[in-house]
Amino acid sequence: MAASMQTFSRVCSTKHPIKELIRWQITKCSALDRHKNGVHTSCRLLADVIPETFEQKTENKAEKISKAMRLYMERAKNYNSMIDKEIDEYEVGKRHLANIMGEDPDSFNQDDIDRAIKYLLPSGLFEKRARPQMKHPYEVFPQRKEALFGKDGRPHHYQFYTGKPNYHGLLHDINMKYEHLNATETELYKNGKMAEEEDKKLFLHGFQWIDHKTLTKQLIEEISPQEYNRFVLVLHRLLKHKLSYKEEEFLLKYSKKVMTMSQFRSIEKPLIDSDGREYSEATGRRKTSNATVTVYNNGSGQISINGQDLAYFKDIHQREQLLFPLQLVNKIDKVDIVATVEGGGSSGQTGAIRLALAHALCSFVDTDSIERLRLAGLLTKDPRTRERKKPGQPGARKKPTWKRR
Amino acid sequence: MAASCVRTPIFQAFLLRHSKRVVPLLPHIRTLRYDVNHQEPTIDKSKLFGTIEEDDIRRFKPIKAATNDQSTSVFYSATLEKFINMVMKDGKKLAARKIVNEMLENIKMTQVEKFNRCENEKEKMEIECNPEIIFNQGLENIKPVLMLTPIIKGGVSYKVPVACPVHRQKFLAMKWLVESCRDRERKIPMGKKLAYEIFDAYKNEGKCVRRKQELLRQCEENRAFAHFRY
């Protein structure tokens, strides 16, 4: 205590005593307090504990932010230099690859690269992502966001504090557009010009909204399935608005063209017999039956199943099933059919022949008829099979007698 | 979509109303051989040859295979096929089909006999000889408009009258028809019994129609609980 009084008097001599007293934080010294330089460590200068002015306070905060900003800039610089290096390597590698393959290096694009890699480094791995591949660095390295806040610590995006600014900003934008369209609609009603807008309603035919993964990639943020559903609902609401044609460009940004199912089917040309007759072959399966059907064009309606007539099937309904695809495309007495079928029961064999017949007929009819066959469900293989028996049960679904206790 | 919110019925209903073609609804069936995306096949020939819009969902989705009973022929009737399935026992489709065909045959024979015997020209025109029409009309007469559902309120289970949905009406009508025939004497073949019942139903008489009226009477009695359905 005497030592501290000595230092206090030493300090007091130079400055105002009362002020100095306030500055000294004199706390209770417990026996456990350690001594440091003759002064109890519990007696500390206030200046070290609390900043004297507000400017000092913000200066510290600004220091911290600018430090963070500096670190960010450093990281961004490192990342950019890394990406640039990778891009250079990629470009050089692309040219080398083109030379190896003996092709023009200037017009060598990503598809050619894929083909070349597949040829030079064939892999039997089942997982396609584990196979050797050469992609542009932007597709390999994950994208990073730009600086989220400035030197003063103020975030650039108005939705920064939601944690997912891009996502919430997007939802906000869509809603703003919707409200703007509402206001426009009201104006048009007032001026009596709504009737002109009747025919301009937007239908995005053959378009689907972008899927979850694409949205995550676009926004560079982790989007949960619930958030994605919400996004889709809000977009759809905008699309359903009467004046949505005004926002067509915006809506197309978040849609992707869907292929019609008919585009997936390749048009198979009929083969030609040794006699010069056009024919086509197809196979069909149902349950455990396998059928092979050959359809000859320009026939007279002769049907042969395993060497027998249509009478191979005793039930009229099964015979009707064979005629189903013929009836739909109007070829009942115009083609000859030779079918072989094995395995399964009568119903399974019927289904197998029907499927094979429908597929074979596709070579002789136009695309509209093929679409009709598809819509009627004749070109789909029936996936239903006998369900297996489970252990502990007498059958597939049947359970032993239920006892209360 | 593995989102837990997608499975709730409220969300499903919201989706149904707002986005018909956007998000595929999860089916409420335990196991499905088909993918969720598969659409039902179109069997109606008039619809197949009619206009199908460009943005129709069927153009972009795979279609389920047509069953072994479906066809676009003139003789196909979805109601009859359903009825055959309800008559069927132990998977014996041939026997069930035979019974239903016999029923139709019996109806036709009776009506044609009546037609030939009739002397009055005006009455002759009114005799319906198409057995399918008689069958459908008979079913219509058996279909109940209301039904009773148990609703628990305050620990007590009340039988509340509620509008009967269409698919339930069809099912109940067919079920009652088959059940009443099975209860009758075994010496008469099933096809004949069905024909008798259908004729009764056509004239708004008989066991099945009585059963329907009994149900409607009960609904009328429990009218007081009708507000419980909310």
Side-chain angles (χ1 to χ4, degrees), chain A residues 66-95:
Chain A
S66 66
K67 206 174 172 186
M69 199 57 196
R70 241 185 299 129
L71 279 171
Y72 178 86
M73 298 300 265
E74 231 179 85
R75 258 184 272 134
K77 208 169 71 175
N78 289 340
Y79 175 78
N80 284 337
S81 64
M82 187 264 291
I83 279 276
D84 287 332
K85 205 173 83 175
E86 295 287 337
I87 289 174
D88 287 334
E89 267 185 38
Y90 171 79
E91 293 295 330
V92 167
K94 198 164 89 167
R95 295 190 80 86

PDB file of all heavy atoms in Angstrom, chain A residues 66-95:
ATOM      1  N   SER A  66     -11.550  -2.178 -41.045  1.00  0.00           N
ATOM      2  CA  SER A  66     -10.567  -2.050 -42.125  1.00  0.00           C
ATOM      3  C   SER A  66      -9.631  -3.250 -42.106  1.00  0.00           C
ATOM      4  O   SER A  66      -9.186  -3.698 -43.146  1.00  0.00           O
ATOM      5  CB  SER A  66      -9.799  -0.750 -41.989  1.00  0.00           C
ATOM      6  OG  SER A  66      -9.031  -0.796 -40.818  1.00  0.00           O
ATOM      7  N   LYS A  67      -9.375  -3.782 -40.901  1.00  0.00           N
ATOM      8  CA  LYS A  67      -8.557  -4.983 -40.820  1.00  0.00           C
ATOM      9  C   LYS A  67      -9.251  -6.133 -41.542  1.00  0.00           C
ATOM     10  O   LYS A  67      -8.626  -6.837 -42.344  1.00  0.00           O
ATOM     11  CB  LYS A  67      -8.360  -5.330 -39.336  1.00  0.00           C
ATOM     12  CG  LYS A  67      -7.115  -6.118 -39.032  1.00  0.00           C
ATOM     13  CD  LYS A  67      -6.970  -6.256 -37.524  1.00  0.00           C
ATOM     14  CE  LYS A  67      -5.841  -7.193 -37.177  1.00  0.00           C
ATOM     15  NZ  LYS A  67      -5.786  -7.432 -35.719  1.00  0.00           N
ATOM     16  N   ALA A  68     -10.560  -6.259 -41.242  1.00  0.00           N
ATOM     17  CA  ALA A  68     -11.335  -7.334 -41.876  1.00  0.00           C
ATOM     18  C   ALA A  68     -11.336  -7.146 -43.392  1.00  0.00           C
ATOM     19  O   ALA A  68     -11.185  -8.103 -44.156  1.00  0.00           O
ATOM     20  CB  ALA A  68     -12.767  -7.342 -41.346  1.00  0.00           C
ATOM     21  N   MET A  69     -11.510  -5.862 -43.790  1.00  0.00           N
ATOM     22  CA  MET A  69     -11.560  -5.555 -45.212  1.00  0.00           C
ATOM     23  C   MET A  69     -10.242  -5.904 -45.873  1.00  0.00           C
ATOM     24  O   MET A  69     -10.214  -6.477 -46.966  1.00  0.00           O
ATOM     25  CB  MET A  69     -11.848  -4.051 -45.367  1.00  0.00           C
ATOM     26  CG  MET A  69     -12.367  -3.650 -46.715  1.00  0.00           C
ATOM     27  SD  MET A  69     -13.852  -4.529 -47.170  1.00  0.00           S
ATOM     28  CE  MET A  69     -13.893  -4.200 -48.881  1.00  0.00           C
ATOM     29  N   ARG A  70      -9.159  -5.585 -45.163  1.00  0.00           N
ATOM     30  CA  ARG A  70      -7.819  -5.851 -45.693  1.00  0.00           C
ATOM     31  C   ARG A  70      -7.633  -7.347 -45.889  1.00  0.00           C
ATOM     32  O   ARG A  70      -7.149  -7.797 -46.929  1.00  0.00           O
ATOM     33  CB  ARG A  70      -6.749  -5.324 -44.724  1.00  0.00           C
ATOM     34  CG  ARG A  70      -5.859  -4.270 -45.332  1.00  0.00           C
ATOM     35  CD  ARG A  70      -4.739  -3.835 -44.435  1.00  0.00           C
ATOM     36  NE  ARG A  70      -5.193  -3.238 -43.181  1.00  0.00           N
ATOM     37  CZ  ARG A  70      -4.754  -3.620 -41.965  1.00  0.00           C
ATOM     38  NH1 ARG A  70      -3.865  -4.559 -41.846  1.00  0.00           N
ATOM     39  NH2 ARG A  70      -5.224  -3.036 -40.881  1.00  0.00           N
ATOM     40  N   LEU A  71      -8.035  -8.110 -44.870  1.00  0.00           N
ATOM     41  CA  LEU A  71      -7.919  -9.569 -44.962  1.00  0.00           C
ATOM     42  C   LEU A  71      -8.713 -10.104 -46.140  1.00  0.00           C
ATOM     43  O   LEU A  71      -8.261 -10.967 -46.886  1.00  0.00           O
ATOM     44  CB  LEU A  71      -8.426 -10.226 -43.675  1.00  0.00           C
ATOM     45  CG  LEU A  71      -7.449 -10.268 -42.502  1.00  0.00           C
ATOM     46  CD1 LEU A  71      -8.161 -10.730 -41.247  1.00  0.00           C
ATOM     47  CD2 LEU A  71      -6.282 -11.190 -42.790  1.00  0.00           C
ATOM     48  N   TYR A  72      -9.946  -9.530 -46.264  1.00  0.00           N
ATOM     49  CA  TYR A  72     -10.799  -9.979 -47.362  1.00  0.00           C
ATOM     50  C   TYR A  72     -10.138  -9.695 -48.704  1.00  0.00           C
ATOM     51  O   TYR A  72     -10.127 -10.545 -49.604  1.00  0.00           O
ATOM     52  CB  TYR A  72     -12.178  -9.299 -47.288  1.00  0.00           C
ATOM     53  CG  TYR A  72     -13.039  -9.717 -48.444  1.00  0.00           C
ATOM     54  CD1 TYR A  72     -13.805 -10.866 -48.386  1.00  0.00           C
ATOM     55  CD2 TYR A  72     -13.016  -8.987 -49.637  1.00  0.00           C
ATOM     56  CE1 TYR A  72     -14.545 -11.281 -49.459  1.00  0.00           C
ATOM     57  CE2 TYR A  72     -13.755  -9.407 -50.715  1.00  0.00           C
ATOM     58  CZ  TYR A  72     -14.517 -10.545 -50.624  1.00  0.00           C
ATOM     59  OH  TYR A  72     -15.226 -10.965 -51.706  1.00  0.00           O
ATOM     60  N   MET A  73      -9.615  -8.465 -48.830  1.00  0.00           N
ATOM     61  CA  MET A  73      -8.979  -8.086 -50.100  1.00  0.00           C
ATOM     62  C   MET A  73      -7.813  -9.002 -50.403  1.00  0.00           C
ATOM     63  O   MET A  73      -7.610  -9.428 -51.542  1.00  0.00           O
ATOM     64  CB  MET A  73      -8.474  -6.634 -50.035  1.00  0.00           C
ATOM     65  CG  MET A  73      -9.575  -5.620 -49.814  1.00  0.00           C
ATOM     66  SD  MET A  73     -10.800  -5.647 -51.119  1.00  0.00           S
ATOM     67  CE  MET A  73     -10.191  -4.381 -52.168  1.00  0.00           C
ATOM     68  N   GLU A  74      -7.057  -9.344 -49.333  1.00  0.00           N
ATOM     69  CA  GLU A  74      -5.912 -10.240 -49.522  1.00  0.00           C
ATOM     70  C   GLU A  74      -6.371 -11.590 -50.047  1.00  0.00           C
ATOM     71  O   GLU A  74      -5.821 -12.130 -51.020  1.00  0.00           O
ATOM     72  CB  GLU A  74      -5.223 -10.441 -48.170  1.00  0.00           C
ATOM     73  CG  GLU A  74      -3.733 -10.203 -48.200  1.00  0.00           C
ATOM     74  CD  GLU A  74      -3.143 -10.400 -46.816  1.00  0.00           C
ATOM     75  OE1 GLU A  74      -2.840 -11.558 -46.471  1.00  0.00           O
ATOM     76  OE2 GLU A  74      -3.039  -9.394 -46.089  1.00  0.00           O
ATOM     77  N   ARG A  75      -7.422 -12.112 -49.370  1.00  0.00           N
ATOM     78  CA  ARG A  75      -7.944 -13.422 -49.758  1.00  0.00           C
ATOM     79  C   ARG A  75      -8.456 -13.399 -51.196  1.00  0.00           C
ATOM     80  O   ARG A  75      -8.223 -14.319 -51.979  1.00  0.00           O
ATOM     81  CB  ARG A  75      -9.069 -13.828 -48.804  1.00  0.00           C
ATOM     82  CG  ARG A  75      -8.627 -14.851 -47.766  1.00  0.00           C
ATOM     83  CD  ARG A  75      -9.766 -15.306 -46.899  1.00  0.00           C
ATOM     84  NE  ARG A  75      -9.943 -14.449 -45.746  1.00  0.00           N
ATOM     85  CZ  ARG A  75     -11.105 -13.974 -45.329  1.00  0.00           C
ATOM     86  NH1 ARG A  75     -12.212 -14.249 -45.974  1.00  0.00           N
ATOM     87  NH2 ARG A  75     -11.173 -13.206 -44.266  1.00  0.00           N
ATOM     88  N   ALA A  76      -9.198 -12.312 -51.510  1.00  0.00           N
ATOM     89  CA  ALA A  76      -9.758 -12.188 -52.865  1.00  0.00           C
ATOM     90  C   ALA A  76      -8.633 -12.144 -53.891  1.00  0.00           C
ATOM     91  O   ALA A  76      -8.719 -12.760 -54.963  1.00  0.00           O
ATOM     92  CB  ALA A  76     -10.613 -10.929 -52.953  1.00  0.00           C
ATOM     93  N   LYS A  77      -7.548 -11.384 -53.539  1.00  0.00           N
ATOM     94  CA  LYS A  77      -6.413 -11.276 -54.474  1.00  0.00           C
ATOM     95  C   LYS A  77      -5.799 -12.655 -54.706  1.00  0.00           C
ATOM     96  O   LYS A  77      -5.531 -13.045 -55.843  1.00  0.00           O
ATOM     97  CB  LYS A  77      -5.374 -10.317 -53.884  1.00  0.00           C
ATOM     98  CG  LYS A  77      -4.561  -9.605 -54.929  1.00  0.00           C
ATOM     99  CD  LYS A  77      -3.734  -8.475 -54.380  1.00  0.00           C
ATOM    100  CE  LYS A  77      -2.590  -8.982 -53.544  1.00  0.00           C
ATOM    101  NZ  LYS A  77      -1.697  -7.884 -53.098  1.00  0.00           N
ATOM    102  N   ASN A  78      -5.586 -13.382 -53.578  1.00  0.00           N
ATOM    103  CA  ASN A  78      -4.992 -14.724 -53.700  1.00  0.00           C
ATOM    104  C   ASN A  78      -5.850 -15.622 -54.575  1.00  0.00           C
ATOM    105  O   ASN A  78      -5.349 -16.334 -55.443  1.00  0.00           O
ATOM    106  CB  ASN A  78      -4.836 -15.373 -52.313  1.00  0.00           C
ATOM    107  CG  ASN A  78      -3.754 -14.708 -51.501  1.00  0.00           C
ATOM    108  OD1 ASN A  78      -2.887 -14.036 -52.059  1.00  0.00           O
ATOM    109  ND2 ASN A  78      -3.803 -14.889 -50.198  1.00  0.00           N
ATOM    110  N   TYR A  79      -7.170 -15.553 -54.320  1.00  0.00           N
ATOM    111  CA  TYR A  79      -8.100 -16.398 -55.074  1.00  0.00           C
ATOM    112  C   TYR A  79      -8.051 -16.056 -56.556  1.00  0.00           C
ATOM    113  O   TYR A  79      -7.972 -16.935 -57.418  1.00  0.00           O
ATOM    114  CB  TYR A  79      -9.505 -16.214 -54.515  1.00  0.00           C
ATOM    115  CG  TYR A  79     -10.582 -16.947 -55.286  1.00  0.00           C
ATOM    116  CD1 TYR A  79     -10.774 -18.304 -55.140  1.00  0.00           C
ATOM    117  CD2 TYR A  79     -11.402 -16.255 -56.185  1.00  0.00           C
ATOM    118  CE1 TYR A  79     -11.745 -18.969 -55.855  1.00  0.00           C
ATOM    119  CE2 TYR A  79     -12.373 -16.912 -56.903  1.00  0.00           C
ATOM    120  CZ  TYR A  79     -12.542 -18.263 -56.736  1.00  0.00           C
ATOM    121  OH  TYR A  79     -13.500 -18.911 -57.451  1.00  0.00           O
ATOM    122  N   ASN A  80      -8.089 -14.761 -56.851  1.00  0.00           N
ATOM    123  CA  ASN A  80      -8.078 -14.333 -58.253  1.00  0.00           C
ATOM    124  C   ASN A  80      -6.799 -14.766 -58.956  1.00  0.00           C
ATOM    125  O   ASN A  80      -6.840 -15.240 -60.093  1.00  0.00           O
ATOM    126  CB  ASN A  80      -8.231 -12.808 -58.347  1.00  0.00           C
ATOM    127  CG  ASN A  80      -9.664 -12.386 -58.091  1.00  0.00           C
ATOM    128  OD1 ASN A  80     -10.585 -13.176 -58.266  1.00  0.00           O
ATOM    129  ND2 ASN A  80      -9.846 -11.158 -57.668  1.00  0.00           N
ATOM    130  N   SER A  81      -5.677 -14.591 -58.248  1.00  0.00           N
ATOM    131  CA  SER A  81      -4.400 -14.981 -58.883  1.00  0.00           C
ATOM    132  C   SER A  81      -4.383 -16.493 -59.129  1.00  0.00           C
ATOM    133  O   SER A  81      -3.926 -16.961 -60.175  1.00  0.00           O
ATOM    134  CB  SER A  81      -3.222 -14.553 -58.014  1.00  0.00           C
ATOM    135  OG  SER A  81      -3.256 -15.237 -56.784  1.00  0.00           O
ATOM    136  N   MET A  82      -4.944 -17.253 -58.156  1.00  0.00           N
ATOM    137  CA  MET A  82      -5.008 -18.700 -58.314  1.00  0.00           C
ATOM    138  C   MET A  82      -5.857 -19.077 -59.514  1.00  0.00           C
ATOM    139  O   MET A  82      -5.472 -19.914 -60.342  1.00  0.00           O
ATOM    140  CB  MET A  82      -5.572 -19.324 -57.015  1.00  0.00           C
ATOM    141  CG  MET A  82      -5.542 -20.828 -56.976  1.00  0.00           C
ATOM    142  SD  MET A  82      -7.082 -21.597 -57.470  1.00  0.00           S
ATOM    143  CE  MET A  82      -8.188 -21.178 -56.164  1.00  0.00           C
ATOM    144  N   ILE A  83      -7.022 -18.445 -59.615  1.00  0.00           N
ATOM    145  CA  ILE A  83      -7.952 -18.745 -60.721  1.00  0.00           C
ATOM    146  C   ILE A  83      -7.304 -18.391 -62.055  1.00  0.00           C
ATOM    147  O   ILE A  83      -7.393 -19.152 -63.025  1.00  0.00           O
ATOM    148  CB  ILE A  83      -9.276 -17.959 -60.525  1.00  0.00           C
ATOM    149  CG1 ILE A  83     -10.173 -18.683 -59.534  1.00  0.00           C
ATOM    150  CG2 ILE A  83     -10.007 -17.765 -61.830  1.00  0.00           C
ATOM    151  CD1 ILE A  83     -11.034 -19.796 -60.097  1.00  0.00           C
ATOM    152  N   ASP A  84      -6.629 -17.235 -62.090  1.00  0.00           N
ATOM    153  CA  ASP A  84      -5.984 -16.830 -63.347  1.00  0.00           C
ATOM    154  C   ASP A  84      -4.938 -17.854 -63.762  1.00  0.00           C
ATOM    155  O   ASP A  84      -4.825 -18.207 -64.936  1.00  0.00           O
ATOM    156  CB  ASP A  84      -5.329 -15.449 -63.176  1.00  0.00           C
ATOM    157  CG  ASP A  84      -6.385 -14.358 -63.121  1.00  0.00           C
ATOM    158  OD1 ASP A  84      -7.458 -14.571 -63.719  1.00  0.00           O
ATOM    159  OD2 ASP A  84      -6.145 -13.307 -62.495  1.00  0.00           O
ATOM    160  N   LYS A  85      -4.181 -18.313 -62.763  1.00  0.00           N
ATOM    161  CA  LYS A  85      -3.149 -19.316 -63.061  1.00  0.00           C
ATOM    162  C   LYS A  85      -3.798 -20.578 -63.639  1.00  0.00           C
ATOM    163  O   LYS A  85      -3.337 -21.135 -64.656  1.00  0.00           O
ATOM    164  CB  LYS A  85      -2.385 -19.638 -61.764  1.00  0.00           C
ATOM    165  CG  LYS A  85      -0.984 -20.161 -61.989  1.00  0.00           C
ATOM    166  CD  LYS A  85      -0.205 -20.310 -60.708  1.00  0.00           C
ATOM    167  CE  LYS A  85      -0.550 -21.631 -60.051  1.00  0.00           C
ATOM    168  NZ  LYS A  85       0.268 -21.893 -58.840  1.00  0.00           N
ATOM    169  N   GLU A  86      -4.897 -21.000 -62.971  1.00  0.00           N
ATOM    170  CA  GLU A  86      -5.589 -22.215 -63.422  1.00  0.00           C
ATOM    171  C   GLU A  86      -6.127 -22.054 -64.837  1.00  0.00           C
ATOM    172  O   GLU A  86      -6.061 -22.975 -65.657  1.00  0.00           O
ATOM    173  CB  GLU A  86      -6.742 -22.554 -62.460  1.00  0.00           C
ATOM    174  CG  GLU A  86      -6.326 -22.923 -61.050  1.00  0.00           C
ATOM    175  CD  GLU A  86      -5.701 -24.298 -60.959  1.00  0.00           C
ATOM    176  OE1 GLU A  86      -5.960 -25.137 -61.848  1.00  0.00           O
ATOM    177  OE2 GLU A  86      -4.939 -24.530 -60.012  1.00  0.00           O
ATOM    178  N   ILE A  87      -6.659 -20.838 -65.117  1.00  0.00           N
ATOM    179  CA  ILE A  87      -7.220 -20.597 -66.452  1.00  0.00           C
ATOM    180  C   ILE A  87      -6.114 -20.676 -67.497  1.00  0.00           C
ATOM    181  O   ILE A  87      -6.287 -21.257 -68.567  1.00  0.00           O
ATOM    182  CB  ILE A  87      -7.956 -19.232 -66.512  1.00  0.00           C
ATOM    183  CG1 ILE A  87      -9.249 -19.307 -65.696  1.00  0.00           C
ATOM    184  CG2 ILE A  87      -8.244 -18.830 -67.941  1.00  0.00           C
ATOM    185  CD1 ILE A  87      -9.980 -18.006 -65.572  1.00  0.00           C
ATOM    186  N   ASP A  88      -4.958 -20.080 -67.169  1.00  0.00           N
ATOM    187  CA  ASP A  88      -3.827 -20.146 -68.111  1.00  0.00           C
ATOM    188  C   ASP A  88      -3.429 -21.589 -68.375  1.00  0.00           C
ATOM    189  O   ASP A  88      -3.242 -21.994 -69.528  1.00  0.00           O
ATOM    190  CB  ASP A  88      -2.628 -19.380 -67.544  1.00  0.00           C
ATOM    191  CG  ASP A  88      -2.847 -17.879 -67.602  1.00  0.00           C
ATOM    192  OD1 ASP A  88      -3.622 -17.450 -68.489  1.00  0.00           O
ATOM    193  OD2 ASP A  88      -2.267 -17.158 -66.774  1.00  0.00           O
ATOM    194  N   GLU A  89      -3.333 -22.356 -67.271  1.00  0.00           N
ATOM    195  CA  GLU A  89      -2.974 -23.780 -67.408  1.00  0.00           C
ATOM    196  C   GLU A  89      -3.974 -24.514 -68.280  1.00  0.00           C
ATOM    197  O   GLU A  89      -3.607 -25.330 -69.132  1.00  0.00           O
ATOM    198  CB  GLU A  89      -2.953 -24.435 -66.021  1.00  0.00           C
ATOM    199  CG  GLU A  89      -1.598 -24.434 -65.355  1.00  0.00           C
ATOM    200  CD  GLU A  89      -1.629 -25.214 -64.032  1.00  0.00           C
ATOM    201  OE1 GLU A  89      -2.314 -26.260 -63.966  1.00  0.00           O
ATOM    202  OE2 GLU A  89      -0.983 -24.754 -63.086  1.00  0.00           O
ATOM    203  N   TYR A  90      -5.248 -24.196 -68.037  1.00  0.00           N
ATOM    204  CA  TYR A  90      -6.334 -24.845 -68.784  1.00  0.00           C
ATOM    205  C   TYR A  90      -6.214 -24.545 -70.272  1.00  0.00           C
ATOM    206  O   TYR A  90      -6.305 -25.432 -71.117  1.00  0.00           O
ATOM    207  CB  TYR A  90      -7.671 -24.382 -68.221  1.00  0.00           C
ATOM    208  CG  TYR A  90      -8.881 -24.794 -69.031  1.00  0.00           C
ATOM    209  CD1 TYR A  90      -9.395 -26.091 -68.939  1.00  0.00           C
ATOM    210  CD2 TYR A  90      -9.516 -23.897 -69.873  1.00  0.00           C
ATOM    211  CE1 TYR A  90     -10.487 -26.467 -69.671  1.00  0.00           C
ATOM    212  CE2 TYR A  90     -10.616 -24.280 -70.614  1.00  0.00           C
ATOM    213  CZ  TYR A  90     -11.097 -25.559 -70.506  1.00  0.00           C
ATOM    214  OH  TYR A  90     -12.188 -25.925 -71.235  1.00  0.00           O
ATOM    215  N   GLU A  91      -5.975 -23.262 -70.591  1.00  0.00           N
ATOM    216  CA  GLU A  91      -5.894 -22.864 -72.003  1.00  0.00           C
ATOM    217  C   GLU A  91      -4.719 -23.539 -72.693  1.00  0.00           C
ATOM    218  O   GLU A  91      -4.827 -24.058 -73.804  1.00  0.00           O
ATOM    219  CB  GLU A  91      -5.757 -21.340 -72.111  1.00  0.00           C
ATOM    220  CG  GLU A  91      -6.990 -20.571 -71.652  1.00  0.00           C
ATOM    221  CD  GLU A  91      -8.202 -20.829 -72.519  1.00  0.00           C
ATOM    222  OE1 GLU A  91      -8.039 -21.106 -73.726  1.00  0.00           O
ATOM    223  OE2 GLU A  91      -9.326 -20.804 -71.991  1.00  0.00           O
ATOM    224  N   VAL A  92      -3.579 -23.536 -71.969  1.00  0.00           N
ATOM    225  CA  VAL A  92      -2.378 -24.168 -72.543  1.00  0.00           C
ATOM    226  C   VAL A  92      -2.625 -25.664 -72.739  1.00  0.00           C
ATOM    227  O   VAL A  92      -2.306 -26.240 -73.791  1.00  0.00           O
ATOM    228  CB  VAL A  92      -1.154 -23.905 -71.641  1.00  0.00           C
ATOM    229  CG1 VAL A  92       0.006 -24.795 -72.025  1.00  0.00           C
ATOM    230  CG2 VAL A  92      -0.754 -22.441 -71.687  1.00  0.00           C
ATOM    231  N   GLY A  93      -3.220 -26.264 -71.695  1.00  0.00           N
ATOM    232  CA  GLY A  93      -3.512 -27.689 -71.767  1.00  0.00           C
ATOM    233  C   GLY A  93      -4.447 -28.026 -72.903  1.00  0.00           C
ATOM    234  O   GLY A  93      -4.342 -29.066 -73.565  1.00  0.00           O
ATOM    235  N   LYS A  94      -5.423 -27.141 -73.148  1.00  0.00           N
ATOM    236  CA  LYS A  94      -6.393 -27.334 -74.227  1.00  0.00           C
ATOM    237  C   LYS A  94      -5.665 -27.385 -75.573  1.00  0.00           C
ATOM    238  O   LYS A  94      -5.946 -28.243 -76.425  1.00  0.00           O
ATOM    239  CB  LYS A  94      -7.380 -26.160 -74.198  1.00  0.00           C
ATOM    240  CG  LYS A  94      -8.669 -26.425 -74.950  1.00  0.00           C
ATOM    241  CD  LYS A  94      -9.728 -25.440 -74.569  1.00  0.00           C
ATOM    242  CE  LYS A  94      -9.685 -24.206 -75.427  1.00  0.00           C
ATOM    243  NZ  LYS A  94     -10.889 -23.370 -75.287  1.00  0.00           N
ATOM    244  N   ARG A  95      -4.711 -26.468 -75.747  1.00  0.00           N
ATOM    245  CA  ARG A  95      -3.984 -26.410 -77.018  1.00  0.00           C
ATOM    246  C   ARG A  95      -3.133 -27.663 -77.205  1.00  0.00           C
ATOM    247  O   ARG A  95      -3.056 -28.233 -78.296  1.00  0.00           O
ATOM    248  CB  ARG A  95      -3.126 -25.160 -77.066  1.00  0.00           C
ATOM    249  CG  ARG A  95      -3.934 -23.858 -77.058  1.00  0.00           C
ATOM    250  CD  ARG A  95      -3.067 -22.659 -77.337  1.00  0.00           C
ATOM    251  NE  ARG A  95      -2.800 -22.506 -78.749  1.00  0.00           N
ATOM    252  CZ  ARG A  95      -3.587 -21.870 -79.614  1.00  0.00           C
ATOM    253  NH1 ARG A  95      -4.709 -21.298 -79.196  1.00  0.00           N
ATOM    254  NH2 ARG A  95      -3.271 -21.783 -80.880  1.00  0.00           N
TER     255      ARG A  95
END
